Amino acid sequence: MNYTTSNLMNKYQSKIITAERAAQLVKNGDKVSYGCFHTKPIAFDIALADRIASGEITKLDTSIVGTILPVPQVLLKMAEKNDTGDFRYNTSWYGPLERMLASKGVVSFAPMQFQDVIKTRTEPLWHESLRRDVAVIQCSPMDNFGNFNFGISNALTRRDMLNTPIRIVEVNTNFPVVHGGAEEHLNIDEIDYVIEGTNPEMFYMPHIDAIEEEIKIAENIIPLIKDGACLQLGIGGVPNAIGKLIAQSDLKDLGVHSEMFCDAFYDMYMSGKITNRKKRKDIGKSVFTFSLCTKETMEFMKNNPLMASYNGEYVTEYTNIKAEDNMFSINATLELDLLGQAVSETIGPVQYSGTGGALSFTWGSYESKGGTSVLCLPSTYRDKEGKLHSKITGTLSPGSVVTIPRSVVSTIATEYGVANIKGISLWARSESLINLAHPDFRDGLVKDAEKMGVWRKSNKIS
């Protein structure tokens, strides 16, 4: 490959296209991919939405792994025009925007683990819905070697683009360059068109302060973490509380192999707790596949050689998780029954989030040499009328989807304690789980357990 500046710039100039012209490449009935989270294009999205609004496009499928602000204009126009068109907005992860627009009949959820999101873009297609005709992503400007970096949204991006006939990048000068790893970029020779975008500011997560129950959960988990542990954390109050507690602790030589690089890791880096020295693979580097974070964390990741961005298959595949010694994963769940079944993606039959890497990390971390997997949840929630309900239930709410089966679940943490239910009988696990529930609901849960035949006279609640 000729890396001379003149040769690269000639190629670059020959592929420049306006957002409006790029949107014209989409035919009625096409399937368009927007990548994952931050790679969602901005200028192209507006131009394509205009075609829907004008009636030029009446049938369209778009696909993305997770949606962030700004709201995709294509999604809004699809919802607006759905009565007179045939539109689908496909995703394997529900966030606030998907939940808000789900009732419009446009958002379509595809249940799958994170590593399968990548596999569906590389294996022979077994269903027409998996086809993509145009892939458009937002990314960093071209570097001196002709590469466009995916920043903090590696996930499926490279394989998705390479397995799509028309490949378009929309460059944003504010898009961070984050080191791999692997599969963190595309080369000028691997794309068809370049849109020079409007350079909007990146989307940053607000600071999330942990509430009292989340702080207590974090305090219950911290004693389980040992020096040299390799961590996986998600988003929210509990991980942020974990990060602050670890930053103030005596723990040392921690590593990172995590689906998401979250703000808690930034806190740990700043306090010198993360070195990645004890890892079996990617020694000295923090492995992740995407990030949703504050501006401070994103600035820390930018051009940082301590980062290793990989695709989602590498990061979340069970055998790769298991291969690291002392893996310690912490994942949130929404509901847990007395049999130990964990619901992490629905509230009753209503889709709330997605499977992501939860099952893989729960299983892989437990199987890791010296590893631990923790599922955490506050013991209660309040409904719209302010009534208190238990998140630990006798049986799951009707229509709930089991994300992690009872045979895989191991350690559970609430604000009332921690219990490892792996390998113990239903009698023993019902007792352990009831003792993690809010005291106001324990007697009722005992009655549920008796009806289910998973409670003995010798069982007791604290």
Side-chain angles (χ1 to χ4, degrees):
M1 183 178 292
N2 187 342
Y3 287 120
T4 63
T5 301
S6 59
N7 182 60
L8 290 175
M9 288 310 299
N10 286 339
K11 289 181 179 180
Y12 181 89
Q13 292 294 333
S14 71
K15 296 184 178 187
I16 290 178
I17 192 172
T18 65
E20 292 73 22
R21 180 70 188 92
Q24 289 294 326
L25 297 172
V26 178
K27 301 187 298 295
N28 210 37
D30 270 356
K31 301 181 185 299
V32 179
S33 176
Y34 276 2
C36 172
F37 291 116
H38 288 83
T39 65
K40 171 178 58 70
I42 305 299
F44 175 89
D45 176 65
I46 293 170
L48 185 57
D50 286 344
R51 293 193 66 202
I52 296 172
S54 70
E56 291 180 59
I57 299 288
T58 58
K59 183 177 181 180
L60 183 71
D61 276 22
T62 57
S63 298
I64 191 169
V65 181
T67 309
I68 57 174
L69 295 173
V71 180
Q73 293 303 299
V74 157
L75 176 55
L76 293 179
K77 292 303 177 185
M78 283 179 162
E80 181 183 312
K81 296 283 188 176
N82 198 36
D83 289 342
T84 57
D86 184 2
F87 300 110
R88 292 179 184 83
Y89 187 87
N90 305 291
T91 183
S92 57
W93 183 265
Y94 256 48
L97 295 176
E98 288 86 354
R99 294 194 290 269
M100 180 178 67
L101 292 169
S103 64
K104 300 295 185 180
V106 170
V107 180
S108 174
F109 182 75
M112 66 181 84
Q113 296 190 78
F114 206 115
Q115 67 262 34
D116 296 330
V117 174
I118 291 83
K119 289 178 180 177
T120 59
R121 299 302 299 124
T122 54
E123 296 177 355
L125 301 184
W126 56 88
H127 194 275
E128 197 268 347
S129 66
L130 298 174
R131 189 190 84 239
R132 303 288 182 268
D133 301 297
V134 182
V136 190
I137 61 161
Q138 187 177 208
C139 60
S140 72
M142 186 177 73
D143 66 17
N144 292 335
F145 300 97
N147 298 316
F148 301 84
N149 189 276
F150 310 143
I152 59 174
S153 295
N154 189 320
L156 78 166
T157 308
R158 179 174 171 80
R159 297 196 196 183
D160 185 39
M161 292 284 281
L162 292 181
N163 286 280
T164 303
I166 299 176
R167 309 160 194 169
I168 306 170
V169 297
E170 181 180 312
V171 297
N172 180 350
T173 56
N174 293 310
F175 211 90
V177 172
V178 179
H179 292 274
E183 302 196 29
E184 78 284 4
H185 70 270
L186 282 167
N187 189 267
I188 186 68
D189 289 331
E190 296 173 315
I191 63 171
D192 298 306
Y193 301 101
V194 178
I195 300 169
E196 294 189 325
T198 54
N199 303 316
E201 187 175 18
M202 298 296 292
F203 168 77
Y204 304 116
M205 288 292 292
H207 288 274
I208 301 174
D209 293 324
I211 61 175
E212 182 181 351
E213 291 84 356
E214 292 170 332
I215 294 171
K216 185 59 181 174
I217 292 170
E219 290 172 343
N220 290 336
I221 293 172
I222 284 288
L224 304 178
I225 305 174
K226 308 300 181 186
D227 289 346
C230 188
L231 303 177
Q232 180 260 326
L233 300 173
I235 194 169
V238 172
N240 287 352
I242 290 279
K244 287 181 170 56
L245 289 172
I246 287 178
Q248 299 163 12
S249 73
D250 294 327
L251 288 167
K252 60 181 183 294
D253 284 333
L254 300 176
V256 176
H257 183 108
S258 186
E259 179 181 358
M260 186 177 89
F261 192 94
C262 61
D263 295 314
F265 293 132
Y266 172 74
D267 291 335
M268 289 182 237
Y269 260 114
M270 291 298 97
S271 60
K273 304 302 179 182
I274 294 176
T275 65
N276 288 299
R277 291 174 187 158
K278 303 294 184 180
K279 293 175 70 175
R280 296 285 299 275
K281 302 190 300 179
D282 301 293
I283 297 170
K285 293 183 179 288
S286 289
V287 168
F288 70 99
T289 193
F290 73 92
S291 180
L292 295 172
C293 60
T294 60
K295 185 173 184 177
E296 292 86 349
T297 301
M298 195 180 297
E299 288 297 319
F300 174 78
M301 299 172 74
K302 189 186 300 183
N303 281 309
N304 188 336
L306 300 177
M307 300 292 105
S309 164
Y310 280 96
N311 74 51
E313 183 177 12
Y314 178 88
V315 177
T316 66
E317 210 283 321
Y318 159 80
T319 55
N320 288 338
I321 299 166
K322 178 183 175 181
E324 287 289 358
D325 290 348
N326 303 306
M327 272 299 305
F328 197 104
S329 71
I330 303 171
N331 286 289
T333 195
L334 298 171
E335 184 182 8
L336 196 73
D337 70 8
L338 293 181
L339 303 178
Q341 301 180 109
V343 175
S344 303
E345 58 189 282
T346 67
I347 297 176
V350 179
Q351 197 67 42
Y352 185 81
S353 57
T355 303
L359 176 57
S360 297
F361 274 101
T362 301
W363 189 15
S365 297
Y366 175 82
E367 295 289 344
S368 159
K369 182 181 179 181
T372 302
S373 169
V374 180
L375 290 178
C376 63
L377 71 166
S379 65
T380 60
Y381 72 95
R382 291 190 182 276
D383 62 23
K384 293 178 180 178
E385 285 71 42
K387 184 179 178 182
L388 196 68
H389 299 269
S390 178
K391 287 194 171 188
I392 297 177
T393 57
T395 57
L396 298 177
S397 303
S400 295
V401 172
V402 174
T403 306
I404 305 170
R406 62 183 184 173
S407 56
V408 175
V409 171
S410 52
T411 301
I412 305 296
T414 73
E415 69 269 34
Y416 292 102
V418 176
N420 188 346
I421 63 172
K422 190 77 170 185
I424 65 177
S425 71
L426 293 178
W427 290 331
R429 68 171 51 194
S430 66
E431 179 181 86
S432 295
L433 293 173
I434 289 172
N435 282 307
L436 295 180
H438 190 288
D440 290 353
F441 295 98
R442 291 179 187 175
D443 289 339
L445 288 169
V446 169
K447 292 178 182 178
D448 290 339
E450 289 173 339
K451 292 176 184 177
M452 296 164 63
V454 294
W455 189 266
R456 305 187 76 192
K457 290 181 180 179
S458 58
N459 286 136
K460 58 185 178 180
I461 57 176
S462 56

